[in-house]
Each structure stands twice: as structure tokens, then as C-alpha cells.
Amino acid sequence: PNRSVFYEMATSLLGRVCRGLSRGHDRRRPWNSKYGNKQFNKGRGVKATGFNIGKHFKLIPEKVPELIVPDLSGFQLKPYVSLKVPEIVEDPLTSRDLFEMFYASQVESDFNAGRYDTLPPPPPTEGGEGSLDDPSNRVNTQTSIPQT
């Protein structure tokens, strides 16, 4: 159903009026320190760096976050990036691209050095189970629609 803007404004206004008429705290109103007891402090989602002992706060140094900022004196770049910079469009990386970037030169140098000549050949299969001639290992490439 397509609701009009007026309907949504009226229902939200009606909901606010009904919420204001209810006595005390109802469950739909946001829970904040106004409605809790004097020990209630919702906080901002930050983890405590210590604990209270009576009226004193015991700080635990291991819980204090450590910010590591590099020395940027003499750094040439500025934090602003202009909107006039041309957009760079690259094709997504494929597994072949990654192989060529990281492993192809090592594999080629090993092949040219003859390191792959010393590997034993795979054992021959004589048409038994697990061979390519076994019909159970063939993949059906024809798509057929089941008859009903």
C-alpha cells in the first residue's frame, strides 16, 4: 500500500501525543539518565579504563588506549583530496592476475633451472576405478529437463 506523507506525519504525531499522555516511563521512549535512578549512567559505549573504589577511581594502565601517531614533520602530502582528480577505473583482479604478480616469475625460473625435471611422474592408471575412462567420473555436460 502506498501511504501518503500526510498519513505518516499524522501517525507519528499521534504516536508522540499518546506517548506523552502515558504516565511514567513507557517502553517506547528512549532510556536515558532522566528516567533512571541516580546511579544510572548510560554512557556513550566506551569501555571503562578502571573501576570505582568508594569515592575514588582506580585506573588500570593496561586498559588505557595507546594512540601511536607517526612523526609527520617534513611530510609533503596534505589531507585534502580534490574533487577534480580523475577517477581511476581498474578491472577486478582474477586468480590468474594474482598468480602472475606473485608466483609466475618464481615458477618460470624454477622450470628453466630444471627443478621440475626431478619430480616423479604420476602413477599410470589402467582404466580402473578413478581413471578418466571410468564412466562414474564423467561429468554430464548435457542439460536435460526431467520428464514429468
Coordinates of all heavy atoms in Angstrom, one line a residue, residues 16-109:
R16 N 3.4 10.3 19.2 CA 4.0 11.1 20.1 C 3.1 11.7 21.2 O 3.4 11.7 22.4 CB 4.7 12.3 19.4 CG 6.0 11.9 18.8 CD 6.8 13.1 18.4 NE 7.1 13.0 17.0 CZ 7.3 13.9 16.1 NH1 7.2 15.2 16.5 NH2 7.6 13.7 14.9
V17 N 1.9 12.1 20.8 CA 0.9 12.6 21.7 C 0.5 11.4 22.7 O 0.4 11.7 23.9 CB -0.3 13.1 21.0 CG1 -1.5 13.4 21.9 CG2 0.0 14.4 20.2
C18 N 0.2 10.3 22.2 CA -0.2 9.1 23.1 C 1.0 8.8 24.0 O 0.7 8.4 25.2 CB -0.6 7.9 22.2 SG -2.1 8.2 21.3
R19 N 2.2 8.8 23.5 CA 3.3 8.5 24.4 C 3.5 9.5 25.5 O 3.8 9.2 26.6 CB 4.6 8.5 23.5 CG 5.8 7.9 24.2 CD 7.0 7.9 23.3 NE 6.8 7.2 22.0 CZ 7.4 7.4 20.9 NH1 8.4 8.3 20.9 NH2 7.2 6.8 19.8
G20 N 3.2 10.8 25.2 CA 3.3 11.9 26.2 C 2.2 11.8 27.2 O 2.4 12.2 28.4
L21 N 1.0 11.2 26.9 CA -0.1 11.1 27.8 C 0.1 10.0 28.8 O -0.5 9.9 29.8 CB -1.4 10.9 27.1 CG -1.9 12.1 26.3 CD1 -3.1 11.8 25.5 CD2 -2.1 13.3 27.2
S22 N 0.9 9.0 28.5 CA 1.1 7.8 29.4 C 1.8 8.3 30.6 O 2.7 9.2 30.6 CB 1.8 6.7 28.7 OG 3.1 7.1 28.3
R23 N 1.5 7.7 31.7 CA 2.1 8.0 33.0 C 3.5 7.3 33.2 O 3.6 6.1 32.9 CB 1.2 7.7 34.1 CG -0.1 8.5 34.1 CD -0.9 8.3 35.3 NE 0.0 8.6 36.5 CZ -0.5 8.9 37.7 NH1 -1.8 8.8 37.9 NH2 0.3 9.2 38.6
G24 N 4.4 8.0 33.7 CA 5.7 7.4 33.9 C 6.5 7.1 32.7 O 6.2 7.7 31.6
H25 N 7.3 6.1 32.7 CA 8.2 5.8 31.6 C 7.5 4.6 30.9 O 7.3 3.6 31.5 CB 9.6 5.4 32.0 CG 10.4 5.0 30.9 ND1 11.0 5.9 30.0 CD2 10.8 3.8 30.5 CE1 11.7 5.3 29.1 NE2 11.6 4.0 29.4
D26 N 7.3 4.8 29.6 CA 6.8 3.6 28.8 C 8.0 3.1 28.0 O 9.0 3.7 27.9 CB 5.7 4.0 27.9 CG 6.1 5.0 26.9 OD1 6.9 5.9 27.2 OD2 5.6 5.0 25.8
R27 N 7.8 1.9 27.5 CA 8.9 1.2 26.9 C 9.4 1.7 25.5 O 10.4 1.3 25.0 CB 8.6 -0.3 26.8 CG 8.4 -0.9 28.1 CD 7.9 -2.3 28.0 NE 7.6 -2.8 29.3 CZ 7.9 -4.0 29.8 NH1 8.4 -4.9 29.0 NH2 7.5 -4.3 31.0
R28 N 8.6 2.5 24.9 CA 9.0 3.0 23.6 C 9.9 4.3 23.7 O 10.5 4.6 22.7 CB 7.7 3.3 22.8 CG 7.0 2.0 22.4 CD 5.7 2.4 21.8 NE 4.8 2.9 22.8 CZ 3.6 3.3 22.5 NH1 3.1 3.3 21.3 NH2 2.9 3.8 23.5
R29 N 9.9 4.9 24.8 CA 10.7 6.2 24.9 C 12.1 5.8 25.1 O 12.4 4.8 25.7 CB 10.2 6.9 26.1 CG 10.8 8.3 26.2 CD 10.3 9.1 27.3 NE 8.8 9.3 27.2 CZ 8.0 9.6 28.2 NH1 8.5 9.7 29.4 NH2 6.7 9.7 28.0
P30 N 13.1 6.5 24.6 CA 14.5 6.2 24.8 C 14.9 6.2 26.2 O 14.5 7.1 27.0 CB 15.2 7.2 24.0 CG 14.2 8.3 23.6 CD 12.9 7.7 23.8
W31 N 15.6 5.2 26.6 CA 16.1 5.1 28.0 C 17.3 5.9 28.2 O 18.3 5.7 27.6 CB 16.4 3.6 28.3 CG 16.7 3.3 29.7 CD1 17.9 3.0 30.3 CD2 15.7 3.3 30.8 NE1 17.7 2.8 31.6 CE2 16.4 3.0 32.0 CE3 14.3 3.5 30.9 CZ2 15.8 2.8 33.2 CZ3 13.7 3.3 32.1 CH2 14.5 3.0 33.3
N32 N 17.2 6.9 29.1 CA 18.3 7.8 29.4 C 18.4 8.1 30.9 O 17.5 7.6 31.6 CB 18.2 9.1 28.5 CG 16.9 9.9 28.8 OD1 16.3 9.7 29.8 ND2 16.5 10.6 27.8
S33 N 19.3 8.9 31.3 CA 19.5 9.2 32.7 C 18.4 9.9 33.4 O 18.3 9.9 34.6 CB 20.8 9.9 32.9 OG 20.8 11.1 32.2
K34 N 17.5 10.5 32.6 CA 16.4 11.3 33.2 C 15.4 10.3 33.9 O 14.8 10.6 34.9 CB 15.6 12.0 32.1 CG 14.5 12.9 32.6 CD 13.9 13.7 31.5 CE 12.8 14.5 32.0 NZ 12.2 15.3 31.0
Y35 N 15.3 9.1 33.4 CA 14.3 8.1 33.9 C 14.9 7.1 34.8 O 14.2 6.2 35.3 CB 13.6 7.4 32.7 CG 12.9 8.5 31.9 CD1 13.4 8.8 30.6 CD2 11.8 9.1 32.3 CE1 12.8 9.8 29.8 CE2 11.1 10.1 31.5 CZ 11.6 10.4 30.3 OH 11.0 11.3 29.5
G36 N 16.2 7.0 34.9 CA 16.9 6.1 35.8 C 17.1 6.6 37.2 O 16.8 7.8 37.5
N37 N 17.6 5.8 38.1 CA 18.0 6.3 39.4 C 19.3 7.0 39.4 O 19.9 7.2 38.3 CB 18.0 5.1 40.4 CG 19.0 4.1 40.0 OD1 19.9 4.3 39.2 ND2 19.0 2.9 40.6
K38 N 19.7 7.5 40.5 CA 20.9 8.4 40.5 C 22.2 7.7 40.2 O 23.2 8.3 39.8 CB 21.0 9.2 41.8 CG 21.3 8.5 43.0 CD 21.3 9.4 44.2 CE 21.6 8.7 45.5 NZ 21.7 9.7 46.6
Q39 N 22.2 6.4 40.3 CA 23.4 5.6 39.9 C 23.4 5.3 38.4 O 24.4 4.8 37.9 CB 23.5 4.3 40.7 CG 24.1 4.5 42.0 CD 23.1 4.9 43.1 OE1 21.9 4.6 42.9 NE2 23.5 5.6 44.1
F40 N 22.3 5.5 37.7 CA 22.2 5.1 36.3 C 22.9 6.1 35.4 O 22.7 7.3 35.5 CB 20.7 5.0 35.9 CG 20.6 4.7 34.4 CD1 20.7 3.4 34.0 CD2 20.3 5.6 33.5 CE1 20.6 3.0 32.7 CE2 20.2 5.3 32.1 CZ 20.3 4.0 31.7
N41 N 23.9 5.6 34.6 CA 24.6 6.4 33.7 C 24.8 5.5 32.4 O 25.5 4.6 32.4 CB 26.0 6.8 34.2 CG 26.7 7.7 33.2 OD1 26.2 8.1 32.2 ND2 28.0 7.9 33.5
K42 N 24.0 5.9 31.4 CA 24.0 5.0 30.2 C 25.4 5.1 29.5 O 25.9 4.1 28.9 CB 23.0 5.5 29.2 CG 22.8 4.6 28.0 CD 21.6 5.1 27.2 CE 21.4 4.2 26.0 NZ 20.4 4.6 25.2
G43 N 26.1 6.2 29.6 CA 27.4 6.4 28.9 C 27.3 6.5 27.4 O 26.2 6.7 26.9
R44 N 28.4 6.4 26.8 CA 28.5 6.5 25.3 C 29.1 5.3 24.6 O 29.6 5.4 23.5 CB 29.3 7.7 25.0 CG 28.9 9.0 25.6 CD 28.3 9.9 24.6 NE 27.9 11.2 25.2 CZ 26.9 11.8 24.8 NH1 26.1 11.3 23.9 NH2 26.5 12.9 25.3
G45 N 29.1 4.2 25.3 CA 29.6 3.0 24.7 C 31.1 2.8 24.7 O 31.7 2.0 24.0
V46 N 31.7 3.6 25.6 CA 33.2 3.5 25.7 C 33.5 2.5 26.9 O 32.8 2.6 27.9 CB 33.7 4.9 26.0 CG1 35.2 4.8 26.2 CG2 33.4 5.9 25.0
K47 N 34.5 1.7 26.7 CA 34.8 0.7 27.7 C 35.5 1.5 28.9 O 36.3 2.4 28.6 CB 35.7 -0.3 27.1 CG 35.1 -1.1 26.1 CD 35.7 -2.5 25.9 CE 35.0 -3.2 24.8 NZ 34.3 -4.4 25.2
A48 N 35.3 1.0 30.1 CA 35.9 1.6 31.2 C 37.4 1.3 31.3 O 37.8 0.2 31.0 CB 35.2 1.1 32.5
T49 N 38.1 2.3 31.8 CA 39.6 2.1 31.9 C 40.0 1.8 33.3 O 41.2 1.8 33.7 CB 40.3 3.3 31.4 OG1 39.9 4.5 32.2 CG2 40.1 3.6 29.9
G50 N 39.0 1.5 34.2 CA 39.3 1.2 35.6 C 38.0 0.9 36.3 O 37.0 0.6 35.7
F51 N 38.0 1.1 37.6 CA 36.8 0.9 38.4 C 36.7 1.8 39.6 O 37.8 2.3 40.0 CB 36.7 -0.6 38.8 CG 37.9 -1.1 39.5 CD1 38.0 -1.1 40.9 CD2 38.9 -1.7 38.8 CE1 39.1 -1.6 41.5 CE2 40.1 -2.1 39.4 CZ 40.1 -2.1 40.8
N52 N 35.6 1.9 40.2 CA 35.4 2.8 41.4 C 35.6 2.0 42.6 O 35.2 0.9 42.8 CB 34.0 3.4 41.4 CG 33.8 4.4 40.3 OD1 34.7 5.1 40.0 ND2 32.6 4.5 39.8
I53 N 36.4 2.6 43.6 CA 36.5 2.1 44.9 C 36.0 3.1 45.9 O 36.7 4.1 46.2 CB 38.0 1.7 45.2 CG1 38.5 0.7 44.2 CG2 38.1 1.2 46.7 CD1 40.0 0.4 44.4
G54 N 34.8 3.0 46.3 CA 34.2 4.0 47.1 C 34.0 5.3 46.3 O 33.4 5.3 45.3
K55 N 34.7 6.4 46.7 CA 34.6 7.7 46.0 C 35.8 7.9 45.1 O 35.9 8.9 44.4 CB 34.6 8.8 47.0 CG 33.3 8.9 47.8 CD 33.3 10.1 48.7 CE 32.0 10.1 49.5 NZ 31.9 11.3 50.4
H56 N 36.7 6.9 45.0 CA 37.9 7.0 44.2 C 37.9 6.1 43.0 O 37.3 5.1 43.1 CB 39.2 6.7 45.1 CG 39.3 7.6 46.3 ND1 39.7 8.9 46.2 CD2 39.1 7.4 47.6 CE1 39.7 9.4 47.4 NE2 39.4 8.5 48.3
F57 N 38.5 6.5 42.0 CA 38.6 5.8 40.7 C 39.9 5.1 40.6 O 41.0 5.8 40.6 CB 38.3 6.7 39.5 CG 38.2 6.0 38.2 CD1 37.1 5.2 37.9 CD2 39.3 6.0 37.3 CE1 37.0 4.6 36.7 CE2 39.2 5.3 36.1 CZ 38.1 4.6 35.8
K58 N 40.0 3.8 40.5 CA 41.3 3.1 40.3 C 41.5 2.9 38.8 O 40.7 2.2 38.1 CB 41.2 1.8 41.0 CG 42.4 0.9 40.8 CD 43.6 1.4 41.5 CE 44.7 0.4 41.3 NZ 46.0 1.0 41.6
L59 N 42.5 3.5 38.3 CA 42.9 3.4 36.8 C 43.7 2.2 36.6 O 44.7 2.0 37.3 CB 43.6 4.7 36.4 CG 44.0 4.8 34.9 CD1 42.8 5.0 34.1 CD2 45.0 5.9 34.7
I60 N 43.4 1.5 35.6 CA 44.2 0.3 35.2 C 45.0 0.7 33.9 O 44.4 0.9 32.9 CB 43.3 -0.9 34.9 CG1 42.6 -1.3 36.2 CG2 44.2 -2.1 34.5 CD1 41.5 -2.3 36.0
P61 N 46.3 0.9 34.0 CA 47.1 1.4 32.8 C 47.0 0.5 31.6 O 47.0 1.0 30.5 CB 48.5 1.4 33.3 CG 48.4 1.4 34.8 CD 47.2 0.7 35.2
E62 N 46.7 -0.8 31.8 CA 46.7 -1.7 30.6 C 45.4 -1.4 29.8 O 45.3 -1.8 28.6 CB 46.7 -3.1 31.0 CG 48.0 -3.6 31.6 CD 48.2 -3.3 33.0 OE1 47.2 -2.9 33.7 OE2 49.3 -3.3 33.5
K63 N 44.4 -0.8 30.4 CA 43.1 -0.6 29.7 C 43.1 0.8 29.0 O 42.1 1.0 28.3 CB 41.9 -0.7 30.7 CG 41.6 -2.1 31.1 CD 40.3 -2.1 31.9 CE 39.9 -3.5 32.1 NZ 38.5 -3.5 32.7
V64 N 44.0 1.6 29.3 CA 44.1 2.9 28.6 C 44.5 2.7 27.2 O 45.6 2.2 26.9 CB 45.0 3.9 29.4 CG1 45.1 5.2 28.7 CG2 44.6 4.1 30.8
P65 N 43.7 3.2 26.2 CA 44.1 3.1 24.8 C 45.4 3.9 24.5 O 45.6 5.0 25.0 CB 43.0 3.6 24.0 CG 41.9 4.1 25.0 CD 42.4 3.9 26.3
E66 N 46.3 3.3 23.7 CA 47.5 3.9 23.4 C 47.5 4.3 21.9 O 47.3 3.4 21.0 CB 48.7 2.9 23.6 CG 50.0 3.5 23.3 CD 51.2 2.5 23.5 OE1 50.9 1.5 24.2 OE2 52.3 2.8 23.0
L67 N 47.5 5.6 21.6 CA 47.5 6.0 20.3 C 48.9 6.2 19.8 O 49.7 7.0 20.3 CB 46.7 7.4 20.2 CG 45.3 7.3 20.7 CD1 44.7 8.7 20.6 CD2 44.5 6.4 19.9
I68 N 49.2 5.5 18.7 CA 50.6 5.6 18.1 C 50.5 6.5 16.9 O 49.8 6.1 15.9 CB 51.1 4.2 17.8 CG1 51.2 3.4 19.0 CG2 52.5 4.4 17.1 CD1 51.5 2.0 18.8
V69 N 51.1 7.7 16.9 CA 51.0 8.6 15.8 C 52.4 8.8 15.2 O 53.3 9.1 16.0 CB 50.5 10.0 16.3 CG1 50.4 11.0 15.1 CG2 49.1 9.8 16.9
P70 N 52.6 8.6 13.9 CA 53.9 8.8 13.4 C 54.3 10.2 13.3 O 53.5 11.1 13.3 CB 53.8 8.2 12.0 CG 52.3 8.3 11.7 CD 51.6 8.2 13.0
D71 N 55.6 10.5 13.2 CA 56.1 11.8 13.1 C 55.9 12.3 11.7 O 56.5 11.7 10.7 CB 57.6 11.8 13.5 CG 58.2 13.2 13.4 OD1 57.4 14.2 13.5 OD2 59.4 13.4 13.2
L72 N 55.1 13.3 11.5 CA 54.8 13.8 10.2 C 55.5 15.1 9.8 O 55.1 15.8 8.9 CB 53.3 14.0 10.0 CG 52.4 12.7 10.2 CD1 51.0 13.0 10.1 CD2 52.8 11.7 9.1
S73 N 56.5 15.4 10.5 CA 57.3 16.6 10.2 C 58.0 16.4 8.9 O 58.7 15.4 8.7 CB 58.3 17.0 11.3 OG 59.2 15.9 11.5
G74 N 57.9 17.3 8.0 CA 58.5 17.2 6.7 C 57.7 16.4 5.7 O 58.2 16.1 4.6
F75 N 56.5 16.0 6.0 CA 55.6 15.2 5.2 C 55.0 16.1 4.1 O 54.5 17.2 4.5 CB 54.6 14.5 6.0 CG 53.8 13.5 5.3 CD1 54.4 12.3 4.9 CD2 52.5 13.7 5.0 CE1 53.7 11.3 4.2 CE2 51.7 12.7 4.3 CZ 52.4 11.5 3.9
Q76 N 55.1 15.8 2.8 CA 54.7 16.7 1.8 C 53.2 16.7 1.4 O 52.7 17.7 1.0 CB 55.5 16.3 0.5 CG 57.0 16.5 0.7 CD 57.4 17.9 1.0 OE1 56.9 18.9 0.4 NE2 58.4 18.1 1.8
L77 N 52.6 15.5 1.6 CA 51.2 15.4 1.2 C 50.2 16.1 2.2 O 50.5 16.2 3.4 CB 50.8 14.0 1.1 CG 51.5 13.2 0.0 CD1 51.0 11.7 0.0 CD2 51.3 13.8 -1.3
K78 N 49.1 16.6 1.7 CA 48.1 17.3 2.6 C 46.9 16.4 2.7 O 46.7 15.5 1.8 CB 47.7 18.6 1.9 CG 48.9 19.6 1.7 CD 49.5 20.0 3.0 CE 50.6 21.0 2.7 NZ 51.6 21.0 3.7
P79 N 46.1 16.5 3.7 CA 45.0 15.6 3.9 C 43.8 15.9 2.9 O 42.9 15.1 2.9 CB 44.5 15.9 5.3 CG 45.0 17.3 5.6 CD 46.3 17.5 4.8
Y80 N 43.8 16.9 2.2 CA 42.7 17.2 1.3 C 42.9 16.5 -0.1 O 44.0 16.5 -0.6 CB 42.6 18.7 1.0 CG 41.6 19.1 0.0 CD1 40.2 19.1 0.3 CD2 42.0 19.5 -1.2 CE1 39.3 19.4 -0.6 CE2 41.0 19.9 -2.2 CZ 39.7 19.8 -1.9 OH 38.8 20.2 -2.8
V81 N 41.8 15.9 -0.6 CA 41.8 15.3 -1.9 C 40.8 16.1 -2.7 O 39.6 16.2 -2.4 CB 41.5 13.8 -1.8 CG1 41.4 13.2 -3.2 CG2 42.5 13.1 -1.0
S82 N 41.3 16.7 -3.8 CA 40.4 17.5 -4.7 C 39.4 16.6 -5.4 O 39.6 15.5 -5.7 CB 41.3 18.2 -5.7 OG 40.4 18.9 -6.6
L83 N 38.2 17.2 -5.6 CA 37.2 16.5 -6.3 C 37.4 16.5 -7.8 O 36.7 15.8 -8.6 CB 35.8 17.2 -6.1 CG 35.3 17.1 -4.6 CD1 34.0 17.9 -4.5 CD2 35.1 15.7 -4.2
K84 N 38.4 17.2 -8.3 CA 38.8 17.3 -9.7 C 39.7 16.2 -10.1 O 40.1 16.1 -11.3 CB 39.4 18.6 -10.0 CG 38.5 19.8 -9.8 CD 39.2 21.1 -10.1 CE 38.3 22.3 -9.8 NZ 39.0 23.6 -9.9
V85 N 40.1 15.3 -9.2 CA 41.0 14.2 -9.5 C 40.3 13.2 -10.4 O 39.1 12.9 -10.1 CB 41.5 13.5 -8.2 CG1 42.3 12.3 -8.5 CG2 42.3 14.5 -7.4
P86 N 40.9 12.8 -11.5 CA 40.2 11.9 -12.4 C 40.0 10.5 -11.7 O 40.9 10.0 -10.9 CB 41.1 11.7 -13.6 CG 42.4 12.2 -13.1 CD 42.2 13.2 -12.0
E87 N 38.8 9.9 -11.9 CA 38.5 8.6 -11.3 C 39.4 7.5 -12.0 O 39.4 7.5 -13.3 CB 37.1 8.3 -11.5 CG 36.7 7.0 -10.8 CD 35.2 6.8 -10.8 OE1 34.4 7.8 -11.0 OE2 34.7 5.7 -10.6
I88 N 40.0 6.6 -11.2 CA 40.8 5.5 -11.8 C 39.9 4.3 -11.8 O 39.4 3.9 -10.8 CB 42.0 5.3 -10.9 CG1 42.9 6.5 -10.9 CG2 42.8 4.1 -11.4 CD1 44.0 6.5 -9.9
V89 N 39.8 3.7 -13.0 CA 38.9 2.5 -13.2 C 39.9 1.4 -13.5 O 40.6 1.5 -14.5 CB 37.9 2.7 -14.3 CG1 37.0 1.5 -14.5 CG2 37.0 3.9 -13.9
E90 N 39.9 0.3 -12.7 CA 40.7 -0.8 -13.0 C 39.8 -2.1 -13.1 O 38.7 -2.1 -12.4 CB 41.7 -1.0 -11.9 CG 42.8 0.0 -11.8 CD 43.8 -0.2 -10.7 OE1 43.6 -1.2 -9.9 OE2 44.7 0.5 -10.6
D91 N 40.2 -3.0 -13.9 CA 39.5 -4.3 -13.9 C 39.7 -5.0 -12.6 O 40.8 -4.9 -12.0 CB 40.0 -5.1 -15.1 CG 39.7 -4.5 -16.4 OD1 38.7 -3.8 -16.5 OD2 40.4 -4.8 -17.4
P92 N 38.7 -5.8 -12.2 CA 38.9 -6.6 -10.9 C 40.0 -7.6 -11.1 O 40.2 -8.2 -12.2 CB 37.6 -7.2 -10.7 CG 36.9 -7.2 -12.0 CD 37.4 -6.0 -12.7
L93 N 40.7 -7.9 -10.0 CA 41.8 -8.9 -10.1 C 41.2 -10.3 -10.2 O 40.3 -10.7 -9.5 CB 42.7 -8.8 -8.9 CG 43.6 -7.6 -8.8 CD1 44.4 -7.6 -7.5 CD2 44.6 -7.7 -9.9
T94 N 41.8 -11.1 -11.1 CA 41.4 -12.5 -11.2 C 42.5 -13.4 -10.5 O 43.6 -12.9 -10.1 CB 41.3 -12.9 -12.6 OG1 42.6 -12.8 -13.3 CG2 40.2 -12.1 -13.3
S95 N 42.3 -14.6 -10.4 CA 43.3 -15.5 -9.8 C 44.5 -15.6 -10.7 O 45.6 -15.7 -10.2 CB 42.7 -16.9 -9.6 OG 42.2 -17.4 -10.8
R96 N 44.3 -15.5 -12.0 CA 45.5 -15.5 -12.9 C 46.3 -14.3 -12.7 O 47.6 -14.4 -12.7 CB 45.0 -15.6 -14.3 CG 46.1 -15.8 -15.3 CD 45.6 -15.9 -16.7 NE 46.6 -16.3 -17.6 CZ 46.9 -17.5 -18.0 NH1 46.2 -18.5 -17.5 NH2 47.9 -17.8 -18.8
D97 N 45.7 -13.1 -12.6 CA 46.5 -11.9 -12.3 C 47.3 -12.0 -11.0 O 48.5 -11.6 -11.0 CB 45.5 -10.7 -12.2 CG 44.8 -10.4 -13.5 OD1 45.3 -10.8 -14.6 OD2 43.7 -9.8 -13.5
L98 N 46.7 -12.5 -10.0 CA 47.4 -12.7 -8.7 C 48.6 -13.7 -8.8 O 49.6 -13.5 -8.3 CB 46.5 -13.1 -7.6 CG 45.4 -12.1 -7.2 CD1 44.4 -12.7 -6.2 CD2 46.2 -10.9 -6.5
F99 N 48.3 -14.8 -9.6 CA 49.4 -15.8 -9.8 C 50.5 -15.1 -10.5 O 51.7 -15.3 -10.2 CB 48.8 -17.0 -10.6 CG 49.9 -18.0 -10.9 CD1 50.3 -18.9 -9.9 CD2 50.5 -18.0 -12.1 CE1 51.3 -19.8 -10.2 CE2 51.4 -18.9 -12.4 CZ 51.9 -19.8 -11.5
E100 N 50.2 -14.4 -11.6 CA 51.3 -13.7 -12.4 C 52.0 -12.7 -11.6 O 53.2 -12.5 -11.8 CB 50.7 -13.1 -13.7 CG 50.3 -14.2 -14.7 CD 49.6 -13.6 -15.9 OE1 49.4 -12.4 -15.9 OE2 49.2 -14.4 -16.8
M101 N 51.3 -12.0 -10.7 CA 52.0 -11.0 -9.9 C 53.0 -11.6 -8.9 O 54.1 -11.1 -8.6 CB 51.0 -10.1 -9.1 CG 50.4 -9.0 -9.9 SD 49.6 -7.8 -8.9 CE 48.0 -8.6 -8.7
F102 N 52.6 -12.7 -8.2 CA 53.4 -13.2 -7.1 C 54.2 -14.4 -7.4 O 55.3 -14.6 -6.8 CB 52.4 -13.5 -5.9 CG 51.8 -12.2 -5.3 CD1 50.5 -11.9 -5.6 CD2 52.5 -11.3 -4.6 CE1 49.9 -10.8 -5.1 CE2 52.0 -10.2 -4.1 CZ 50.7 -9.9 -4.4
Y103 N 53.7 -15.4 -8.2 CA 54.3 -16.7 -8.3 C 54.9 -17.0 -9.7 O 55.8 -17.8 -9.8 CB 53.3 -17.8 -8.0 CG 52.8 -17.7 -6.6 CD1 51.5 -17.4 -6.3 CD2 53.6 -17.9 -5.5 CE1 51.0 -17.3 -5.1 CE2 53.1 -17.8 -4.2 CZ 51.8 -17.5 -4.0 OH 51.3 -17.4 -2.7
A104 N 54.5 -16.3 -10.7 CA 54.8 -16.7 -12.1 C 56.3 -16.6 -12.3 O 56.9 -17.5 -12.9 CB 54.1 -15.9 -13.1
S105 N 57.0 -15.6 -11.8 CA 58.4 -15.5 -12.1 C 59.2 -16.6 -11.4 O 60.2 -17.1 -11.9 CB 58.9 -14.1 -11.6 OG 58.7 -13.9 -10.2
Q106 N 58.8 -16.9 -10.2 CA 59.5 -18.0 -9.4 C 59.3 -19.4 -10.1 O 60.2 -20.1 -10.2 CB 59.0 -18.0 -8.0 CG 59.6 -19.1 -7.1 CD 61.1 -18.8 -6.9 OE1 61.5 -17.6 -6.8 NE2 61.9 -19.8 -6.8
V107 N 58.0 -19.6 -10.6 CA 57.8 -20.9 -11.2 C 58.5 -21.0 -12.5 O 59.1 -22.0 -12.9 CB 56.2 -21.0 -11.5 CG1 56.0 -22.2 -12.4 CG2 55.5 -21.2 -10.2
E108 N 58.6 -19.8 -13.3 CA 59.3 -19.8 -14.5 C 60.8 -20.0 -14.3 O 61.5 -20.8 -15.0 CB 59.1 -18.5 -15.3 CG 59.7 -18.5 -16.6 CD 59.3 -17.2 -17.4 OE1 58.7 -16.3 -16.8 OE2 59.8 -17.1 -18.5
S109 N 61.4 -19.4 -13.3 CA 62.8 -19.6 -13.0 C 63.1 -21.0 -12.6 O 64.1 -21.6 -12.9 CB 63.3 -18.5 -12.0 OG 62.7 -18.8 -10.8

